[in-house]
Amino acid sequence: MTIFKHLIKHKLHIAILTIPITLLMVGCSGAMPASSWPNSIMADNNLIIANNNAVYAISSDFGKLVWKFPDKPDSTRSQFYTSPAYTNNSIVIGSDNKHAFTIDITNGNEVWNFDATNNKSGTAPTGISVESELAFFTSENTLYALRISNGQTAWKFESAKELWAPPSSNGQYVFLPGMDHTLTSIDISNGSQIWQQHLTGALADSPTIYQETLYTGSLSNSVYAIDASNGMIIWEFEAKGWVWGSPMVIDDYVFFGDLDGYVYALNRANGREVWTSQQLDSASRGTPAYSDGNLFVTSDNGFVYSIDAISGNTVWNIEIDSKNADRLLADPIAHNGLLYITSMNGENIVHAINQSDGVIVWKFNPE
């Protein structure tokens, strides 16, 4: 989750968790992803990291461990790959073994958990978003609306195919992206469908909400601006490659990267191209981070780039770890002058980097 998206969602009392998934080279399939990867968010000046068998809270200034959930290995409390969410002094997290949990942010203790296995074994990508008094939990093809106070189901909504990403919400409606190429608006009060728009490709990440417009990428090269009130397409832009991550909106511009390794800036009003960056070393999946006029993006092959948001020119780039930390798939996070990078592999799962020059300040090793 980017800082800009966090600010929007904080204003609307929304927090988003996303389920990361490794790309299958069939954008329309909706098949079970082959694997997942770690993700992080910033909450109360702590970095919260979901990394397979545990969720970690570490201090953002020095990278020191604050707490770990669970304390000991647990077959149910595992397979954490979602981007955690923060609301009402709780961390909400989903696991690929079809469970959702809330965790007290002060001490890492479990508050409640929800079981979506329906007495069936196996794994599935899951996601959670939180709005007001409800948490929206996706597992397989079902969206569950859970009461934040106790984890009980308020309503549920079934999609035609598996869901790879959680919905976004503006407090009145829930906007659900689907692997069946659909974006669906759902009444937050009762789970009834308001509208559904069929797009040209599968949607692998949550739409970004800015004012009354939804912005989403797709696994068909297209990026869309969609009217949140009726689902009508305002404009469509064709990128060079598939667009996995959610676009970022800053003032009059829309920024995103694609799987061909390009980063784009579009005019928010009409979708026209402002600039396209030089090609990166490899694909860029996560949503860019933004701070003080610069975009920060990561690549599959382990590089981090600082890009001038006005010109699209590269300011600096570094390789995180040439021996281990390939595959930077999670969204980078910009906070208080530092950039936080979560790695899929390597000895250190988090690197904190100076935004100004790309110098690594500290690293976090969970062991």
Side-chain angles (χ1 to χ4, degrees), residues 129-189:
S129 55
V130 180
E131 164 61 39
S132 185
E133 298 179 355
L134 293 177
F136 301 101
F137 174 58
T138 58
S139 180
E140 297 185 301
N141 71 327
T142 304
L143 168 63
Y144 300 88
L146 308 177
R147 303 189 189 283
I148 295 236
S149 58
N150 55 21
Q152 297 299 306
T153 303
W155 51 260
K156 62 182 181 179
F157 179 91
E158 292 189 0
S159 176
K161 289 188 178 181
E162 213 166 47
L163 300 168
W164 279 19
S168 301
S169 176
N170 62 4
Q172 185 176 4
Y173 301 106
V174 176
F175 303 100
L176 181 66
M179 292 306 293
D180 59 355
H181 303 195
T182 63
L183 181 62
T184 305
S185 175
I186 302 168
D187 191 314
I188 198 172
S189 65

Side-chain angles (χ1 to χ4, degrees), residues 193-238:
Q193 180 176 310
I194 303 301
W195 54 255
Q196 186 172 82
Q197 176 61 261
H198 291 262
L199 304 174
T200 58
L203 308 182
D205 207 349
S206 308
T208 297
I209 303 172
Y210 187 83
Q211 296 178 357
E212 300 301 319
T213 304
L214 308 174
Y215 300 88
T216 186
S218 70
L219 303 188
S220 67
N221 296 39
S222 291
V223 173
Y224 299 91
I226 297 174
D227 190 319
S229 65
N230 56 27
M232 298 300 293
I233 295 174
I234 299 171
W235 53 254
E236 177 181 354
F237 174 84
E238 185 174 350

Side-chain angles (χ1 to χ4, degrees), residues 47 82 108 113 119 165 169 171 180 236 241 282 328:
L47 194 67
T82 70
N113 70 78
N119 297 316
S169 176
D180 59 355
E236 177 181 354
S282 57
L328 303 181

Side-chain angles (χ1 to χ4, degrees), residues 23-296:
L23 177 64
L24 297 177
M25 295 309 294
V26 182
C28 305
S29 69
M32 176 63 190
S35 62
S36 301
W37 55 79
N39 269 276
S40 304
I41 62 163
M42 190 67 63
D44 277 4
N45 211 38
N46 287 329
L47 194 67
I48 311 298
I49 311 154
N51 183 40
N52 193 4
N53 292 323
V55 179
Y56 303 90
I58 64 174
S59 62
S60 62
D61 46 5
F62 301 113
K64 302 299 182 182
L65 181 66
V66 178
W67 52 255
K68 172 185 174 183
F69 173 86
D71 291 333
K72 299 179 180 179
D74 186 316
S75 60
T76 299
R77 292 156 184 81
S78 63
Q79 300 189 51
F80 296 117
Y81 298 110
T82 70
S83 181
Y86 174 53
T87 181
N88 298 331
N89 295 318
S90 294
I91 297 299
V92 190
I93 187 73
S95 72
D96 279 13
N97 60 17
K98 307 176 189 177
H99 286 76
F101 304 88
T102 60
I103 306 167
D104 189 321
I105 194 173
T106 62
N107 54 29
N109 292 334
E110 183 178 310
V111 179
W112 56 255
N113 70 78
F114 176 78
D115 183 349
T117 61
N118 296 316
N119 297 316
K120 297 179 181 179
S121 60
T123 62
T126 56
I128 297 181
S129 55
V130 180
E131 164 61 39
S132 185
E133 298 179 355
L134 293 177
F136 301 101
F137 174 58
T138 58
S139 180
E140 297 185 301
N141 71 327
T142 304
L143 168 63
Y144 300 88
L146 308 177
R147 303 189 189 283
I148 295 236
S149 58
N150 55 21
Q152 297 299 306
T153 303
W155 51 260
K156 62 182 181 179
F157 179 91
E158 292 189 0
S159 176
K161 289 188 178 181
E162 213 166 47
L163 300 168
W164 279 19
S168 301
S169 176
N170 62 4
Q172 185 176 4
Y173 301 106
V174 176
F175 303 100
L176 181 66
M179 292 306 293
D180 59 355
H181 303 195
T182 63
L183 181 62
T184 305
S185 175
I186 302 168
D187 191 314
I188 198 172
S189 65
N190 56 27
S192 62
Q193 180 176 310
I194 303 301
W195 54 255
Q196 186 172 82
Q197 176 61 261
H198 291 262
L199 304 174
T200 58
L203 308 182
D205 207 349
S206 308
T208 297
I209 303 172
Y210 187 83
Q211 296 178 357
E212 300 301 319
T213 304
L214 308 174
Y215 300 88
T216 186
S218 70
L219 303 188
S220 67
N221 296 39
S222 291
V223 173
Y224 299 91
I226 297 174
D227 190 319
S229 65
N230 56 27
M232 298 300 293
I233 295 174
I234 299 171
W235 53 254
E236 177 181 354
F237 174 84
E238 185 174 350
K240 299 177 185 295
W242 290 358
V243 180
W244 187 294
S246 303
M248 168 191 288
V249 181
I250 300 290
D251 298 327
D252 294 329
Y253 301 97
V254 178
F255 301 100
F256 60 92
D258 71 13
L259 297 192
D260 276 11
Y262 293 94
V263 180
Y264 304 81
L266 306 183
N267 183 295
R268 179 172 62 84
N270 55 31
R272 293 175 182 169
E273 181 180 342
V274 177
W275 54 254
T276 298
S277 72
Q278 292 186 340
Q279 190 172 22
L280 310 182
D281 67 286
S282 57
S284 181
R285 300 182 193 232
T287 300
Y290 174 87
S291 180
D292 295 331
N294 289 325
L295 299 174
F296 302 98

